[in-house]
Each structure stands twice: as C-alpha cells, then as structure tokens.
C-alpha cells in the first residue's frame, strides 16, 4: 500500500502543533515536541514521516484488529462511497450495508441480542446503552430504577455520560463529571487488592460487595450493571473465575440490566467476536462495541440490544411512541460496508482462532519479563496484556509519578521500532490480531531490551537502587 507521496515532516508537525487539539495529550510536552506523524501502515507495522518502520503493538488504539493495508476494506469503502455515500438513518430509512450488518451482528451476538443501534464510536455506543436503560424502565413505569453500578478503574469513554461511568478518578480531573446515580464498586485488581486471598476468596469478596450494594441501595433503584469483561485502560484487569457469572445471577434476580462494554474486548481481542458471554458467562442484555468492528478503518459504534428490551421500547401504548434518539452518522452506509468487509476477513482468516492459539505463547513470552526486578505483574488474556512496573517487588511500591516509568520503557521501545502504550506505571499491549509468532518474539525481545535500558537509566540517575 505504498503511496509514494513525499511528506514534509517539519511543516506537518508545525501545522499540527499549532492547530490540532489532540485527546489524551500532555500539552506541556506537546507544545515543545509536537506530534509524531504516521504516514503509512502495512500488516502490524506503521511508518512514520521520517521513514521509520515500527511495529504497532497498540493496533492504533486497540482497534486495527485485522492489521493495516487491507485493500479489501478500502475497496468496500470506495465502492459504497461511490454508490451511496450517505443514507438518512432516521424515519425508517436504511441502506443495504446497514441492513446486512445488523443481521450479521445479531448472529454474532449471544442470546436474544438481535437489534442494533448504531453510533460513531465507543463512547456514543455506551451513551446510547444508558439511554436505552432509561427508556426501558421509564416505559415499564419504573422511573426510579435508574442507578448504575460501575467499578473503579473502569473506562467507558469521554462523552459526558460515558465519562460519568468511568472509575478512574485521575482522568476526571479538570472536568465536571457527574457522579449522580452512579455507584462505584471495586474493580477486580487482584495484584493490588486481593490482599493475600486466592482467586476464590477474592471473588467471594467482590461478589459480596456487589450483593451488599444492591441490598443497601435497593434493587428498585438500580437499572443496570455496566462492565468491561476485561478492564482495558484501567490496567488490563482480568476478573477471577466465576466473578461475572455470579454477579450477573444477582442482576438477573433483581431485574438489573447487564451492559457489557465490549468496545475493546469485542471482535477477536479475547479470541471471540464477543467475549462477555462466551468467555465470562455474563448473559448481557446490551453489548456496546466499536473499534474492532471496523478495525478502525472508519468510525462506527454499535449498541446491540436484546429482543426482550426492544419489545418494551416498541410498546405502542408507551407515552412517547416515537423513538426520539439518533445520530446523523449512525448506520452510515460507508462505515457499515467497512465493518462487513472487516468481518469477512475475520471469518475467512479465522482471526479469533488465531488469537486463541497464539495467546498462550504471547503470555508466556511476556511472563519471562518477570525476571526483571522492576516488573511486578504481567496480566491479561487473548491479545490484551499489561506489565506493571514497581520500585520494590516485595512491597509492590510504585515509582513516584514523576519517574514516568511507563513512558521511559515506551520511549526505549520506540527507539527500537516498537510502539507500546505507556500509562503511569503500566505498559499495555494490544497488537493487531494478525500478529505472528515472529512478531511476538520481536515485541517481547524489544521490550526486554527496553526494560533493561530503563533500569540502567534509573540507576544512573539515582532513581532506583538497582
Ligand atoms: C472499554 C472502552 N469503552 C469505551 C471506549 C470509548 O471509545 P471511543 O474512544 O471510540 O469513544 C473505550 C476507548 O478506548 C474503551 O476502551
């Protein structure tokens, strides 16, 4: 997919530095250094404006699941854009790709989840899920049943509503994020919070906490439990066995809807199209997905809703017969065409099976990093993993935030041709799902060198005893 276009890196960086507002960016650094500019991608690699080829172990932002340079998706996009670039999604108008995709997603989703409400990404898919829960209980005449149970370390997006579901307080700073009606439970952070309990006892504790909350608040005041099957941005936190099955049983017994945020975990990242039920026995009522749905080639979010909920929402005697929700760019035909081509590739190449097969090797290679004194924990599943760095393995004490340990490791990796995500004391890996054994070796070997170099720097700078 080489374009042969020559870019003026300096000029682009300057224009971008002056005029683009990037999300999740440290502006003190950005105004000094400007952006990194990527110009091409192919397979698991991207190329920057200076011609450096890098393995992208973030798959963009957990999204380029089938890898870069897929002409099949690009052709499907071009063909649909030529034929019909837009179709009014409102007032019962549709397009062939939207209709096909809804049917396809209904087959991929578990249980009776067979209706799809589209949006443009993960945050909006979660917003829509919340509105569905509200409308469902309003229609049933239970306007007080609106409380939301979320968890610490959860991440569900940055629209006003999805941000309020999030359980990472540090990222709410500076914004007025409402916590109204949201109850935050512990997230399953075994490395820091199991406090010596084994997985079973830890699971009992988390389930009890949930049961106590339902008891205290009252089931008649709780509308839904909102959860990522594996928490991604919060640190790749995998729940103990049985956790979701047991919590979701309590939900079912108390008419609390289960919303699975599969924005990251969906579309193969855990070796299933949707992991909430297949891996974690959640029996969700609603699933939100985005990212891997189109492998990031175009923006698209989907909120997949059970037929039981839809029956209520379609109730002709309800106060407001019209479903007064919708985004102009909802079931965008070009984005839906991209999703269909993406799912075709996933099916034809058996991407989910590849993840299931390769995940054990990836995990084992990452676990070898525990030989380094600063690597406290390696955790994850499928093709989503994190390493947690510590200043002291015995006490699990963290480095002071200003050491920026994750960024140091990511910086060394970047110099050696590998993009990994830094996040405080974490480094997170969510590579394209097409990653081969040789790619795993490159990733882990490069990471190993980067950690060693980071440790040497820390000793040299007097920041760590060594
Ligand atoms: C679990 C989860 N939900 C929602 C979102 C928000 O998705 P978007 O950035 O497409 O709005 C993200 C983004 O990373 C996510 O990780």
């Amino acid at each position: 997919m080489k374009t042969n276009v020559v870019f003026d890196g300096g000029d682009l960086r300057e224009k971008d530095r002056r005029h683009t507002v990037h999300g999740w960016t440290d502006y003190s650094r950005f105004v000094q250094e400007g952006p990194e500019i990527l110009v091409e991608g192919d397979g698991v690699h991207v190329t920057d404006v200076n011609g450096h080829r890098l393995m992208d172990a973030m798959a963009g932002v957990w999204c380029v699941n089938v890898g870069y340079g897929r002409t099949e998706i690009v052709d499907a996009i071009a063909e649909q854009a030529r034929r019909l670039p837009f179709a009014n999604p409102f007032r019962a108008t549709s397009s062939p790709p939207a209709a096909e995709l809804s049917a396809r997603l209904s087959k991929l989703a578990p249980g009776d989840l067979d209706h799809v409400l589209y949006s443009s990404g993960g945050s909006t898919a979660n917003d829509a899920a919340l509105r569905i829960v509200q409308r469902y209980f309003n229609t049933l005449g239970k306007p007080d049943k609106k409380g939301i149970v979320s968890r610490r370390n959860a991440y569900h997006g940055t629209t006003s509503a999805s941000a309020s579901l999030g359980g990472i307080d540090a990222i709410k700073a500076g914004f007025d994020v409402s916590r109204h009606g949201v109850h935050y439970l512990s997230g399953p952070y075994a490395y820091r919070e199991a406090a010596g309990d084994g997985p079973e006892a830890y699971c009992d504790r988390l389930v009890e906490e949930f049961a106590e909350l339902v008891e205290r608040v009252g089931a008649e005041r709780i509308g839904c439990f909102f959860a990522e099957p594996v928490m991604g941005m919060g640190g790749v936190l995998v729940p103990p066995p049985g956790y979701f099955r047991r919590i979701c049983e309590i939900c079912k017994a108390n008419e609390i809807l289960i919303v699975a945020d599969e924005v990251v975990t969906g579309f193969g990242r855990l070796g299933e199209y949707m992991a909430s039920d297949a891996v974690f026995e959640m029996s969700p009522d609603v699933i939100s997905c985005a990212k891997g749905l189109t492998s990031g080639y175009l923006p698209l979010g989907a909120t997949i809703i059970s037929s039981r909920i839809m029956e209520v929402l379609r109730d002709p005697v309800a106060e407001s017969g019209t479903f007064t929700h919708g985004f102009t760019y909802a079931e965008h035909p070009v984005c839906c065409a991209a999703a269909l081509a993406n799912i075709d590739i996933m099916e034809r190449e058996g991407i989910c099976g590849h993840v299931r097969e390769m995940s054990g090797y990836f995990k084992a290679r990452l676990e070898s990093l525990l030989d380094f004194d600063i690597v406290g924990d390696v955790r994850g599943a499928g093709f989503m993993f994190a390493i947690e760095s510590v200043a002291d393995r015995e006490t699990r004490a963290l480095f002071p935030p200003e050491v920026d340990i994750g960024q140091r490791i990511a910086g060394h990796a970047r110099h050696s041709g590998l993009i990994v995500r830094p996040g405080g004391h974490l480094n997170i890996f969510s590579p394209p799902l097409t990653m081969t054994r040789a790619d795993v070796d490159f990733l882990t070997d490069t990471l190993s060198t980067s950690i060693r170099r980071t440790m040497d720097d820390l000793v040299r700078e007097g920041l760590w005893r060594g």
Side-chain angles (χ1 to χ4, degrees):
M1 282 270 282
K2 290 265 172 211
T3 54
N4 294 324
V5 178
V6 178
F7 297 98
D8 178 343
D11 177 55
L12 289 171
R13 248 192 305 276
E14 190 52 17
K15 284 176 175 156
D16 193 271
R17 195 181 66 81
R18 281 170 176 266
H19 302 294
T20 307
V21 181
H22 291 279
W24 298 106
T25 292
D26 171 351
Y27 274 82
S28 56
R29 185 176 275 163
F30 180 70
V31 291
Q32 300 294 327
E33 298 171 10
E36 156 149 88
I37 296 191
L38 301 177
V39 296
E40 275 178 1
D42 185 21
V44 299
H45 294 99
V46 290
T47 305
D48 74 11
V49 75
N50 300 318
H52 298 130
R53 195 161 177 266
L54 307 152
M55 179 182 173
D56 180 8
M58 288 174 63
V61 191
W62 329 79
C63 60
V64 188
N65 287 8
V66 297
Y68 296 91
R70 294 289 195 161
T71 46
E72 188 175 338
I73 303 180
V74 178
D75 291 345
I77 290 170
E79 196 184 321
Q80 183 58 43
R82 257 193 299 272
R83 187 176 299 136
L84 182 72
F86 184 83
N88 177 357
F90 306 150
R91 302 182 193 284
T93 313
S94 195
S95 68
E100 292 291 352
L101 183 61
S102 302
R104 198 106 174 239
L105 292 178
S106 298
K107 274 208 184 108
L108 295 176
D112 68 339
L113 273 71
D114 59 0
H115 284 77
V116 188
L117 172 60
Y118 293 100
S119 55
S120 53
S123 307
T124 47
N126 285 334
D127 258 24
L130 279 181
R131 300 201 86 205
I132 292 294
V133 173
Q134 288 169 359
R135 177 126 174 158
Y136 176 77
F137 286 116
N138 285 341
T139 307
L140 287 179
K142 299 182 179 178
D144 294 333
K145 200 165 164 57
K146 300 282 177 46
I148 301 159
V149 181
S150 186
R151 299 171 303 159
R152 284 189 283 287
N153 289 308
Y155 180 72
H156 297 292
T158 55
T159 53
S160 290
S162 60
S164 75
L165 297 174
I168 308 174
D169 284 340
I171 64 175
K172 295 183 182 173
F175 290 100
D176 294 337
V177 179
S178 167
R179 287 155 203 260
H180 181 73
V182 188
H183 308 277
Y184 304 94
L185 289 174
S186 306
Y189 197 165
Y191 178 64
R192 296 225 161 256
E193 294 172 9
D197 281 346
E200 266 179 47
Y202 183 47
C203 184
D204 288 347
R205 184 143 54 86
L206 293 170
V207 174
E208 264 163 41
E209 190 187 341
F210 182 81
E212 273 166 21
L213 178 101
V214 174
E215 184 70 29
R216 188 170 72 248
V217 176
E220 68 289 354
R221 305 188 77 81
I222 301 178
C224 68
F225 170 56
F226 218 105
E228 300 154 83
V230 170
M231 284 180 173
M233 185 165 164
V236 188
L237 303 174
V238 183
Y243 166 85
F244 276 121
R245 181 182 44 71
R246 292 173 60 191
I247 285 190
C248 293
E249 275 167 12
I250 299 174
C251 291
K252 298 280 174 198
N254 289 282
E255 207 194 357
I256 295 169
L257 295 178
I258 298 155
V259 183
D261 177 347
E262 296 233 39
V263 168
V264 163
T265 56
F267 291 89
R269 189 142 300 281
L270 292 180
E272 300 286 343
Y273 283 94
M274 284 160 215
S276 48
D277 204 47
V279 182
F280 296 102
E281 301 175 84
M282 286 176 78
S283 300
D285 300 287
V286 178
I287 291 180
S288 330
C289 43
K291 295 193 188 271
L293 171 58
T294 59
S295 279
Y297 279 65
L298 282 179
L300 187 66
T303 308
I304 313 177
I305 305 161
S306 72
S307 54
R308 191 171 58 91
I309 293 179
M310 275 314 293
E311 265 167 40
V312 172
L313 298 188
R314 278 200 295 237
D315 182 350
V317 296
E319 203 176 303
S320 160
T322 303
F323 184 60
T324 46
H325 169 94
F327 302 119
T328 299
Y329 298 119
E331 50 269 32
H332 194 287
V334 183
C335 302
C336 291
L340 285 168
N342 176 55
I343 298 169
D344 282 345
I345 292 172
M346 290 193 68
E347 282 178 358
R348 198 178 57 239
E349 297 185 5
I351 300 270
C352 288
H354 173 70
V355 171
R356 289 196 298 271
E357 270 167 42
M358 190 61 73
S359 175
Y361 181 66
F362 188 19
K363 185 164 191 248
R365 289 292 328 257
L366 286 172
E367 279 173 350
S368 69
L369 301 172
L370 286 164
D371 288 346
F372 291 111
D373 284 345
I374 63 165
V375 178
D377 195 25
V378 173
R379 55 178 177 260
F383 268 20
M384 58 190 291
F385 284 95
I387 60 168
E388 179 160 340
S389 295
V390 288
D392 184 327
R393 275 240 289 245
E394 200 66 31
T395 62
R396 302 187 180 182
L398 294 172
F399 285 100
E402 58 278 12
V403 170
D404 215 354
I405 189 77
Q407 182 60 49
R408 283 173 181 260
I409 294 171
H412 278 300
R414 173 71 178 74
H415 279 292
S416 306
L418 175 70
I419 300 177
V420 299
R421 179 177 181 144
H425 50 288
L426 302 174
N427 288 98
I428 293 180
F429 319 103
S430 59
L433 308 184
T434 50
M435 179 174 70
T436 62
R437 205 177 162 92
D439 296 325
V440 174
D441 290 340
F442 174 78
L443 192 163
T444 44
D445 289 346
T446 308
L447 204 54
S448 172
T449 312
S450 307
I451 294 170
R452 191 174 309 112
R453 287 185 179 149
T454 301
M455 288 164 65
D456 291 346
D457 292 346
L458 294 173
V459 171
R460 197 175 325 111
E461 293 172 39
L463 295 168
W464 186 58
R465 55 173 167 66

